Amino acid sequence: MTHFRYYTLPRIRWVLSILLLCLGLLSAWIALDTPLPSSSAACERLNREHYVIDNTILASGPIQYQEIQGDYVPKNTWWFVGRQGDTVQFYTLDQLVGFLWRPADTLPFWQLDLTQLEDPIYCNLFGSWPGFDLAFEATPVVICTDPRVVRVEAQLISLGTSERADPQAAIDSRGVSPTFTQVADGVWAAPSTLAPGPSDDSGAAWLAWCQGYDASGNLICQNSPTS
């Protein structure tokens, strides 16, 4: 009895304590939507779910809202761009407690087939968030597959339904043009940008019209200003 009390029972308590700790950590992990210990692991999980194999992450950066603030605005959210052959993958991840990552709640993965593009340039808008007066704020990231392009521009607008018949006129009137920095081969990013929307039109939606230029400033490519 003495041997059980002083030797066996403490060991049983120690094992039970470890089991309870493991169960608590497992419950917390599940409650946090099963985060992973690195951003690459989170991207790889999304790849497996969407049957993407052997792609390469080209660039990433934080989505930091400049104008729209509040507890409802996502915090510690990052964008990632990867490529596999003729497809580009866009990821949105949330960073938790320093080193844990999980897919964001809104549009964590999207894939673009480059062979379906009429032009070799495309602008993706990460983390658009509705604000007041139908304003939208997002982090614009431009990809371009033409190797001659060394600089890009883009005009962004929150376009109303009644304006879609002539988007160019709306862009000329109140489009915004952020400054892009090249972050990888064929990838440019700009700070989070606010585009005020038409306050009298509830059907507002983002539109991005982008252009690519060579080292001499010549226009090489552009996409159509359509939403």
Side-chain angles (χ1 to χ4, degrees):
M1 187 66 181
T2 300
H3 183 275
F4 177 81
R5 179 178 180 183
Y6 289 103
Y7 294 95
T8 306
L9 185 59
R11 286 168 171 76
I12 292 175
R13 288 175 175 170
W14 183 77
V15 170
L16 290 175
S17 297
I18 290 184
L19 287 174
L20 288 174
L21 176 61
C22 291
L23 287 173
L25 292 175
L26 178 61
S27 298
W29 184 64
I30 294 174
L32 291 172
D33 195 20
T34 60
L36 294 170
S38 69
S39 58
S40 59
C43 289
E44 184 57 34
R45 186 175 80 178
L46 288 170
N47 285 340
R48 290 194 301 269
E49 293 174 355
H50 295 87
Y51 307 103
V52 176
I53 301 173
D54 295 331
N55 77 331
T56 301
I57 298 298
L58 302 177
S60 65
I63 300 174
Q64 297 175 325
Y65 294 92
Q66 307 296 321
E67 302 292 339
I68 300 177
Q69 301 295 327
D71 294 337
Y72 55 87
V73 175
K75 304 293 192 302
N76 299 321
T77 302
W78 287 62
W79 61 265
F80 292 78
V81 174
R83 183 167 180 180
Q84 178 199 38
D86 289 330
T87 62
V88 173
Q89 294 77 38
F90 301 102
Y91 313 82
T92 308
L93 303 181
D94 290 331
Q95 185 179 23
L96 308 172
V97 249
F99 66 93
L100 292 178
W101 296 78
R102 69 179 181 188
D105 294 332
T106 303
L107 198 60
F109 178 93
W110 185 69
Q111 186 165 236
L112 175 68
D113 186 349
L114 297 174
T115 64
Q116 300 299 313
L117 293 179
E118 294 183 3
D119 306 286
I121 191 168
Y122 178 81
C123 182
N124 194 56
L125 300 164
F126 285 93
S128 58
W129 196 257
F132 301 102
D133 297 327
L134 299 176
F136 282 75
E137 184 172 2
T139 297
V141 175
V142 170
I143 61 169
C144 183
T145 58
D146 192 318
R148 297 173 297 170
V149 171
V150 299
R151 181 176 62 87
V152 300
E153 295 179 353
Q155 294 74 48
L156 311 178
I157 189 172
S158 182
L159 194 70
T161 302
S162 61
E163 298 174 313
R164 294 181 186 180
D166 189 3
Q168 184 63 67
I171 290 173
D172 294 340
S173 173
R174 52 186 179 79
V176 293
S177 300
T179 299
F180 285 87
T181 300
Q182 187 166 10
V183 293
D185 287 343
V187 184
W188 290 259
S192 186
T193 303
L194 181 75
S199 59
D200 60 344
D201 194 333
S202 60
W206 268 101
L207 178 147
W209 180 34
C210 44
Q211 306 85 37
Y213 300 87
D214 65 12
S216 299
N218 300 310
L219 178 65
I220 299 297
C221 57
Q222 61 181 339
N223 62 358
S224 300
T226 56
S227 57

